[in-house]
Amino acid sequence: MAKHPVPKKKTSKARRDARRSHHALTPPTLVPCPECKAMKPPHTVCPECGYYDGRKVLEV
């Protein structure tokens, strides 16, 4: 039978939860499109109107 490492002591709830304190999800960042006011991720072409940086780059 193979020997493998096992924990010597039970991890407490406080230590477990402190380790997970950085695991929270953040909501996506959205900004209004200057052309059509639809919410979109920053620095991306607007999926609604096809504008980016004041220019039409996609035919929608």
Side-chain angles (χ1 to χ4, degrees), residues 36-48:
C36 68
K37 308 301 185 248
M39 297 305 281
K40 67 175 190 72
H43 312 290
T44 59
V45 177
C46 178
E48 300 295 320

Side-chain angles (χ1 to χ4, degrees), residues 8-33:
K8 194 161 199 132
K9 295 285 187 186
K10 179 177 179 175
T11 305
S12 70
K13 294 181 205 79
R15 186 173 287 275
R16 176 200 66 197
D17 295 345
R19 182 178 65 245
R20 295 176 183 173
S21 67
H22 303 288
H23 290 11
L25 296 174
T26 56
T29 304
L30 297 174
V31 296
C33 170

